[in-house]
Amino acid sequence: MFEERTGRDTATLTMVVFRLGIVIVFVVMVARMFELQVIQNERYETLANRNRLLRMETPAPRGIIYDRNGTILVRNRPSFEVALVPEDLPFDDLDTEDIDEEAVEIEKVLRILRADSDPDVALRMAAILFNKLGYDDFIRTVQRVNVPISFLSEPAFVTPVMEDGRLTMAEPRKVYLPDLDQPLPLEGLVALVKRTVAIQSMGSASDPVPILDGVDRTRAFEISEDSFRIPAVRVTQVPVREYIYGDLLSHVLGFMGPIPAFAAENYRAAGYTNPNEKVGLNGLEYTYQRELRGEPGVRYSERNILGVDVRTVGPVIEPVPGLNLHLNIDRRLQTVMRDALQEMMDEVDAPWGVTVAMNPQNGAVLGMVSLPSYDNNIFAERIGEDYLKLEQDERRPLINYAIGGLYPPGSVFKMVTSAAGLAEGVITPQTVVVDSGPIYLPNRYFPDDRSQAQEFVSWNHKYGIVHGRMNVVSALALSNDIFFYYLGGGYLDQFQGLGHQLLSKWTELFGFGETTGIDLPGEVTSLVPTDQWKRQLFAEPWTTGDSYNMSIGQGYVLSTPMQVLVETAAIANGGTLYVPKVVHHMTDANGGVQKDFEPEIKRELPISKEDMEYIRRGMWEVVNSDYGTGRVARVPGVEVAGKTGTAEFCEYIPEERDCRRDEKGFLPFHAWFSAFAPYDNPEIAIVTFVYDGGEGSAVAAPVTQKILEAYFTEISPRPQSTAAQP
Amino acid sequence: MFARINWRNFDWLLLLVVLILSGIGVAVIYSATRNSPDLVDYWQRQINFIAFGLIALFVVAMLDYRQLSIVAVPSFLLFLAALVVVYLFGEAQGGSKSWISIGGTLVQPTEAGKFLIIIFLAWYLSWFRDSMHKLPYLLMALVLLLAPLALVYIQPDFGMTITYAFMGGVLILAAGVRYRHLALLGAGALAAIPIFASTLQGYMLARICIFLPTDEEGHVIAPILSILRTAFDRLPSECIQPEANTAASYNVEQALIAVGNGGLTGMGWTQGTQNQLLFLRVRHTDFIFSVIAEEFGMIGAALILLLLLFVVWRILRIAESAPDQFGKLLTTGIAALIFFQIVINVGMNLKIMPVTGLTLPFISYGGSSLVSMLFAIGLAESVAMRHRKIEFF
């Protein structure tokens, strides 16, 4: 600069390069800003929103369930939950060494909740905290404050859970669970609450931590008042399902509980964001979960890095209440059915029983009782020990046996055989079969040896009675088995029967090989036995004897009471199979009908009205003729038609390598009765089943009679009483 | 010495821009700290720092910078001594042992050291100006630079080390180095890389590794990883999978989100969500540029960047019209210092430079940072007022 020392060293160039550097830096930085702020702006905006916005759901009020007369069966009862907000608890001030301010505050709260004086509260609280913390943390926390825990004497298995709640692949561990029936002393609870709060505040310090639930309204108000000066306490209302009639309708209504682990993925895919949300787990609560739930409200809460709620951002979507269900079931009829069945079951000491009623003209389910039942209210707030008790009950009360139990139908199946015979032209209404005592099928390998032949008897033979000449009507009335053996399997070369193919075909036509399609979960079905089925299962061909057994509803045929009811209704209405419907229609919160359930026809049976009339007539004679087996089912003023069933079953006893038998060597019986009324224009069809109940005519028919009598006097009285009948 | 002060030569435009930037700094600090109860009064404190800084600026401007050549050698030796004392008895803060307690208050000698190095090197390079074309004098200059550099490097203070290196390098180059000497030095520097690599601290390497290109799974791409593996015995996890170590990359990631979230026009003052909801860390110092980018957008950030670079440009202009070599090198050093801090800080906010903890001149919160920056402007003004030529604009 001052001299001529340019060009040979870096002095001048440095200044030029420096200036150039400034320009380049500006260009590069602005280009980078353009890339980040303009080109990728959307991406970073999303990331920033993900940082700050939290989707909050307000659950919609769940739909209410009414019976056909508008009686409320399920409603939402407010229950209260006490929670602590971590950010509102005081910090442990380290200047005061001997006092833990946070623990002092928690203890104050627990005293207000009466955790120190009310063992129920202490137990409930321990159960909640145990579920939150898990086995290891629970024990460690309690033991750290030197509080003794009593353990259960029986070891249990726990599946280790990872910190984020996922199940590990590790083997379940055998541990001794703490006995949650022993109330913990206050120090233990304080330590547990403190630990739970600490864990929660790692996520968001604004989210309340529930420490006690199931608080009733009065207590909730008291707690709110007492904890007025403690900012961390939140008393919130949580709706709880209240099943007003308890065990009367639990199999129909079902119950709710948190989303089960195995279904978590499905629910999440369906838009359930809270993994602890309670969903219908059984009954209508399950089937109509989507409709009952409604649409939860949504708002976006803005949170800072500490998880503190700052404000609500954007539009708030209000929740849409769930739809209300209006059932076909009549609560009064249901009560009558339950009482009648329970009374009889007590009398004959039967373990299980079912009675189901339906309108045969449209498939509307009028009542459905499966005993034993359970009170679904015990699941309303939490699924816990009570559930385990029910699950472990030998009689499995949680199962709805009306659709979940498979039994040999016995003689109530004979209408199927009759219909097949008439429709396929194997018999005419005038075809006569003579019952002159047991019949014998010759042994396949020793056809001439009478002693090796297989004997087939009718129920009446053990009383020393033969029924003589019968057509299909009187055979149904008498429930004679010989007639149906002939009809189903034929007899030697004297009589051409249906054969297994036609029997199977008509069994399927009547809906026995498929579920009825009722709007309840847990329905089962068995396969219709066929030749091929038997060959695959037993490696044996179908025999005439198998056809014999099948044609009287024994042997390989199994059905649910609901399937028998659909069969009965089809006879009653002249040949139409309806899909049973529990729900009649749904309304929204304003009472507008949202969905009306039209009767759904599954199938029209390929049988003429005239032929069907003979079967109906047979069922009429069962009840109304002097020789009918179901005379006990007569109801004054109404013409009832029915069919008794007494189905042998085998309860295999491994020690004896045989089925259970009575002292005379007879197998035990299920009692069945299927009926419809009035005969001319049926409006109700009923099937009653009593497990191990004995004679259908003595056990199932009287129950049905009681129900029908109540139905036609209290629930649907006849217009003018024709009680003057002699 | 006051007689020759020519206020007409005082660069008022430079001062105006510096004041605008400091004012913007106060506004942004307010926005960045208003939601943190511990920090709410920082913007007021910053105003106080500006006041102190302005006094320092004018006092320094009135002094004749040439007097500084007297103190250059003793203060440099004192600085070296201080660094040794820090090395032996210093206290560690935030991972580096760079603080020393004097009467109970912690002092960081490296901050003032920036100026001492500028003054000393400017003195050395101008004093031996005629001999600088001889290699021994050049090497001596390098040795004098390397002494504090090495002491800071072992503290370890990565940011300060590269700042010193950059300033020193610019000063030496600006003083004039023969091209063959430059080639020689380049070769020497290449040869020294292994030594440098062997002493590089793990955390420094980790900070650099955050910038390495990764594949879809977040692993550093294979060729670079194999080079790293041959160069270093132990690799920090960031050098294998940078995103895996969220703690190390969190601040940078959040800063980047803040910048991107700002868009073209910004979310408005005190409206940036990343800033206001505290997702952005060290918002009022290291990452204050992210606050600017989020709240004022690309347009605002680019304008502020333009002002910052204008200051550098303006100081370079003073350097070129300095009355002597000492004044020229002094101002060039100051320009280099300010420029370097801008590049590193903004670059770190935009994730094109490693995280070093260097503040953004005039804008970041901090008394020592702001006052020393205004002090530097004062030095530049002192040179400006003693113009060799009268009036030329």
Side-chain angles (χ1 to χ4, degrees), chain A residues 606-620:
Chain A
I607 181 170
S608 68
K609 288 272 174 222
E610 294 74 40
D611 283 345
M612 197 54 115
E613 199 50 45
Y614 285 102
I615 301 167
R616 283 168 48 84
R617 190 70 201 164
M619 286 181 73
W620 183 88

Side-chain angles (χ1 to χ4, degrees), chain A residues 525-543:
Chain A
T525 184
S526 84
L527 290 172
V528 168
T530 59
D531 179 38
Q532 198 190 5
W533 171 86
K534 194 187 170 195
R535 280 171 193 274
Q536 278 173 2
L537 212 61
F538 299 102
E540 279 175 23
W542 191 269
T543 64

Side-chain angles (χ1 to χ4, degrees), chain B residues 158-337:
Chain B
F158 187 54
M160 210 50 94
T161 310
I162 56 171
T163 312
Y164 287 5
F166 181 80
M167 285 179 341
V170 169
L171 275 177
I172 291 170
L173 289 174
V177 177
R178 290 194 162 192
Y179 287 109
R180 56 192 169 97
H181 290 165
L182 189 65
L184 211 63
L185 292 181
L190 276 178
I193 283 182
I195 303 168
F196 177 68
S198 67
T199 57
L200 195 67
Q201 301 283 329
Y203 89 99
M204 299 178 183
L205 188 60
R207 283 178 178 183
I208 298 170
C209 281
I210 294 175
F211 295 89
L212 296 176
T214 54
D215 59 16
E216 277 150 28
E217 287 171 13
H219 291 277
V220 170
I221 54 171
I224 292 183
L225 193 60
S226 58
I227 293 172
L228 284 172
R229 281 198 200 283
T230 43
F232 299 99
D233 296 338
R234 281 183 297 122
L235 281 182
S237 65
E238 286 88 345
C239 291
I240 296 157
Q241 197 176 4
E243 305 298 327
N245 193 330
T246 48
S249 59
Y250 177 86
N251 291 0
V252 179
E253 208 46 55
Q254 292 303 321
L256 212 58
I257 294 173
V259 172
N261 193 30
L264 190 62
T265 53
M267 308 188 78
W269 183 57
T270 69
Q271 299 300 311
T273 59
Q274 283 288 97
N275 171 30
Q276 300 297 327
L277 299 171
L278 319 182
F279 292 104
L280 192 59
R281 297 273 175 84
V282 281
R283 317 174 276 293
H284 56 298
T285 56
D286 293 9
F287 288 104
I288 199 160
F289 191 77
S290 298
V291 178
I292 292 171
E294 187 180 32
E295 302 198 338
F296 304 133
M298 181 188 146
I299 293 172
L303 276 175
I304 288 167
L305 182 61
L306 195 62
L307 289 179
L308 284 165
L309 293 174
F310 175 80
V311 170
V312 180
W313 192 275
R314 199 73 182 171
I315 297 172
L316 278 186
R317 185 175 158 274
I318 293 172
E320 285 186 328
S321 53
D324 53 19
Q325 177 77 348
F326 180 58
K328 179 199 164 191
L329 291 180
L330 197 64
T331 36
T332 305
I334 290 165
L337 170 65

Side-chain angles (χ1 to χ4, degrees), chain A residues 538-588:
Chain A
F538 299 102
E540 279 175 23
W542 191 269
T543 64
T544 307
D546 292 330
S547 293
Y548 279 10
N549 282 331
M550 186 167 171
S551 48
I552 61 163
Q554 295 278 175
Y556 302 122
V557 201
L558 292 175
S559 75
T560 64
M562 198 46 156
Q563 285 172 326
V564 176
L565 180 63
V566 170
E567 171 212 341
T568 308
I571 305 290
N573 65 32
T576 307
L577 259 68
Y578 283 98
V579 175
K581 297 273 182 202
V582 178
V583 175
H584 182 259
H585 68 278
M586 294 195 259
T587 55
D588 62 19

Side-chain angles (χ1 to χ4, degrees), chain A residues 1-3 8-11 14 19 22 25-26 29 32 36-37 41 44-45 48 51-52 304-305, chain B residues 129 173-174 177-179 250 254 256 259-261 263 274 277 279 293 298 305 313 316-317 320 339 350:
Chain A
M1 259 165 163
F2 311 125
E3 293 144 53
R8 307 237 337 261
D9 63 33
T10 55
T14 303
R19 290 229 149 107
I22 293 176
V25 161
F26 183 74
M29 297 287 185
R32 174 70 169 160
L36 292 175
Q37 302 191 275
N41 173 243
Y44 285 111
E45 215 172 88
N51 267 346
R52 71 188 175 111
N304 67 15
I305 195 164
Chain B
R129 184 172 185 224
L173 289 174
V177 177
R178 290 194 162 192
Y179 287 109
Y250 177 86
Q254 292 303 321
L256 212 58
V259 172
N261 193 30
Q274 283 288 97
L277 299 171
F279 292 104
M298 181 188 146
L305 182 61
W313 192 275
L316 278 186
R317 185 175 158 274
E320 285 186 328
F339 178 66
L350 301 177

